[in-house]
Amino acid sequence: GAVVSQHPSRVICKSGTSVKIECRSLDFQATTMFWYRQFPKKSLMLMATSNEGSKATYEQGVEKDKFLINHASLTLSTLTVTSAHPEDSSFYICSAIGLVGQSSYEQYFGPGTRLTVT
Amino acid sequence: EDQVTQSPEALRLQEGESSSLNCSYTVSGLRGLFWYRQDPGKGPEFLFTLYSAGEEKEKERLKATLTKKESFLHITAPKPEDSATYLCAVQKRNDYKLSFGAGTTVTVRA
């Protein structure tokens, strides 16, 4: 149980284009999903918190117009990187919280999406 | 200000050589402390959650403990497949967000 998937696993796009990353909870309903960014050999940096049916809450310094988040259902959240630039190249990871087992506080992570902007 | 500090940054072990990783934290209103394992190019894999001082949890060769100021992840008789980055994170009461430490990269040589 508690499986989170991401699609695509890798994407290469040209500068100025937009790219969408999907995050799905496969075997549980995720009331809240999180989006993180991770630079090489660095820890995870929280970008935003996404609640189903409401607007995402962004962390300080994260541009909400650049990183569009939509939590359309209890199993799907999407992150769209708009007008991507090379500095947006990174490893993007989502996580989800739901009623899994005995705890509703544990976050389960997706496998990550490697974005390269050329 | 909340802080999560992991040490050491890197740990090189011989197969079978037990050791411990440290996660010290300063957070107001701790709900839980989480340990994750991350392999290169992959998302973090959940290991343990600890909620109160004195609590211990075990999984195979790993054992996590918690005090009011720090947590330890003990690796007993490690194998090469235990090589990974181990991340510690804290969660505050009334908030589901996790604040991560920088991680400890463990390399186990056969």
Side-chain angles (χ1 to χ4, degrees), chain A residues 31-32 34 36 38 41-44 46 49 59 91 93 97 103-112 114, chain B residues 6 31 34 36 38 41-46 48-49 51 57 87-88 91 95-98 100-103:
Chain A
T31 53
T32 303
F34 301 87
Y36 294 83
Q38 188 174 34
K41 300 194 177 182
K42 298 290 184 183
S43 194
L44 282 75
L46 180 65
T49 302
E59 296 299 300
F91 193 51
I93 311 174
I97 281 183
S103 171
S104 62
Y105 307 132
E106 293 165 358
Q107 284 189 32
Y108 293 88
F109 285 81
R114 173 73 59 193
Chain B
Q6 291 189 246
R31 168 188 280 150
F34 297 74
Y36 289 87
Q38 187 176 27
K42 303 282 181 67
E45 174 190 345
F46 173 76
F48 305 109
T49 312
Y51 291 105
K57 287 191 177 174
L87 298 167
C88 157
Q91 186 181 66
D95 193 345
Y96 289 119
K97 294 192 292 189
L98 292 178
F100 280 87

Side-chain angles (χ1 to χ4, degrees), chain B residues 90-107:
Chain B
V90 297
Q91 186 181 66
K92 299 173 69 167
R93 281 193 287 268
N94 302 318
D95 193 345
Y96 289 119
K97 294 192 292 189
L98 292 178
S99 297
F100 280 87
T104 295
T105 300
V106 174
T107 304

Side-chain angles (χ1 to χ4, degrees), chain B residues 24-103:
Chain B
S24 63
Y25 63 92
T26 306
V27 62
S28 55
L30 178 75
R31 168 188 280 150
L33 185 142
F34 297 74
W35 282 98
Y36 289 87
R37 169 194 169 126
Q38 187 176 27
D39 293 304
K42 303 282 181 67
E45 174 190 345
F46 173 76
L47 293 175
F48 305 109
T49 312
L50 301 166
Y51 291 105
S52 56
E55 190 175 0
E56 298 183 351
K57 287 191 177 174
E58 287 187 68
K59 179 180 179 180
E60 295 180 357
R61 294 177 292 282
L62 301 176
K63 178 180 175 180
T65 62
L66 181 67
T67 73
K68 289 186 177 180
K69 293 183 178 180
E70 59 192 349
S71 176
F72 291 94
L73 183 66
H74 308 276
I75 310 178
T76 303
K79 298 182 177 182
E81 53 262 42
D82 295 322
S83 298
T85 295
Y86 291 87
L87 298 167
C88 157
V90 297
Q91 186 181 66
K92 299 173 69 167
R93 281 193 287 268
N94 302 318
D95 193 345
Y96 289 119
K97 294 192 292 189
L98 292 178
S99 297
F100 280 87

